[in-house]
Amino acid sequence: KQEVTQIPAALSVPEGENLVLNCSFTDSAIYNLQWFRQDPGKGLTSLLLIQSSQREQTSGRLNASLDKSSGRSTLYIAASQPGDSATYLCAVREEYGNKLVFGAGTILRVKS
Amino acid sequence: GAGVSQTPSNKVTEKGKYVELRCDPISGHTALYWYRQSLGQGPEFLIYFQGTGAADDSGLPNDRFFAVRPEGSVSTLKIQRTERGDSAVYLCASSLFGTGRWETQYFGPGTRLLVL
């Protein structure tokens, strides 16, 4: 059974700092991996999607990497801003199926 | 609307009652998903529809939970004899085809269910 773990569970940083969120998964037979953002009381917003054959994806200040063989992904946020404060969720889609398997998330607070 | 919508946004019920949660997917999306998110956890898969049929219902926790999508658009998640442990945020998502390496799921804001 696929299990997704995110470290740290919570992170508080001053504005402007670069930071890394970690995600690991137990079964490397994945189709793709996504990073989502969740704001309180709201749904999930997809940030980046990495195919199993790719190593990384970039969007603005966000960069996500994927090492499928070791079951790891990182989300790098450059020059963090208070507006980045949210819960960040990592999810994998397995090769044979359509559902997403999520980690518990990292709660990020960026202090101004 | 442009996104996935869910109603009601909040639902409070008593233990043992029946509830229905509604999801309106993005127009034209054939795939629809239900997830459940407990406090401090990530969403957990419940059921996936491709068109009108449930293609994967392996995440439904027991036979008190049932979902339908009779016309391939709106879906209703039905919970019978609610228990306090059913309290959670129920999220609905839709995607264009359900397949495709680049396809992402678009999530609604969720229904927060509280069973007293």
Side-chain angles (χ1 to χ4, degrees):
Chain A
K1 177 188 172 185
Q2 179 75 265
E3 293 182 0
V4 179
T5 302
Q6 291 187 245
I7 295 173
L11 184 61
S12 182
V13 300
E15 181 177 5
E17 195 161 295
N18 302 325
L19 55 98
V20 174
L21 308 182
N22 297 290
C23 171
S24 62
F25 46 95
T26 55
D27 188 343
S28 62
I30 65 168
Y31 205 43
N32 60 39
L33 182 145
Q34 278 187 275
W35 284 92
F36 289 89
R37 169 183 174 140
Q38 185 172 33
D39 293 281
K42 297 189 178 181
L44 282 63
T45 302
S46 179
L47 298 172
L48 290 165
L49 186 154
I50 311 176
Q51 296 300 339
S52 59
S53 59
Q54 296 183 305
R55 297 287 292 182
E56 66 177 348
Q57 280 283 341
T58 298
S59 177
R61 293 182 294 107
L62 305 180
N63 176 278
S65 67
L66 174 64
D67 185 339
K68 181 184 169 184
S69 60
S70 68
R72 297 174 189 266
S73 176
T74 61
L75 178 67
Y76 176 82
I77 303 177
S80 57
Q81 303 170 357
D84 295 331
S85 299
T87 297
Y88 290 80
L89 293 159
C90 168
V92 299
R93 181 177 160 187
E94 297 176 314
E95 281 186 355
Y96 305 105
N98 297 81
K99 68 181 182 184
L100 297 178
V101 180
F102 285 86
T106 293
I107 302 171
L108 173 64
R109 179 184 172 214
V110 181
K111 299 172 288 186
S112 57
Chain B
V4 178
S5 61
Q6 294 186 246
T7 54
S9 54
N10 291 280
K11 176 71 177 178
V12 181
T13 191
E14 294 179 343
K15 180 175 178 296
K17 298 290 188 181
Y18 168 82
V19 296
E20 290 189 352
L21 312 179
R22 177 187 168 106
C23 172
D24 280 90
I26 293 172
S27 178
H29 280 193
T30 62
L32 185 146
Y33 313 79
W34 284 99
Y35 294 84
R36 177 169 72 172
Q37 186 174 24
S38 300
L39 194 63
Q41 301 297 316
E44 291 182 304
F45 170 78
L46 295 176
I47 187 170
Y48 156 60
F49 285 91
Q50 181 56 256
T52 61
D56 182 357
D57 65 357
S58 62
L60 295 178
N62 52 58
D63 61 6
R64 295 187 297 106
F65 289 74
F66 189 70
V68 296
R69 196 185 184 199
E71 298 179 356
S73 178
V74 171
S75 175
T76 304
L77 178 65
K78 308 180 181 192
I79 310 174
Q80 298 178 323
R81 304 184 302 281
T82 51
E83 300 178 356
R84 293 193 179 90
D86 298 334
S87 297
V89 177
Y90 289 80
L91 295 166
C92 176
S94 71
S95 65
L96 189 55
F97 297 118
T99 59
R101 291 190 172 274
W102 289 107
E103 196 169 294
T104 191
Q105 296 179 20
Y106 296 88
F107 283 79
T111 293
R112 189 174 301 273
L113 175 66
L114 177 60
V115 181
L116 300 177

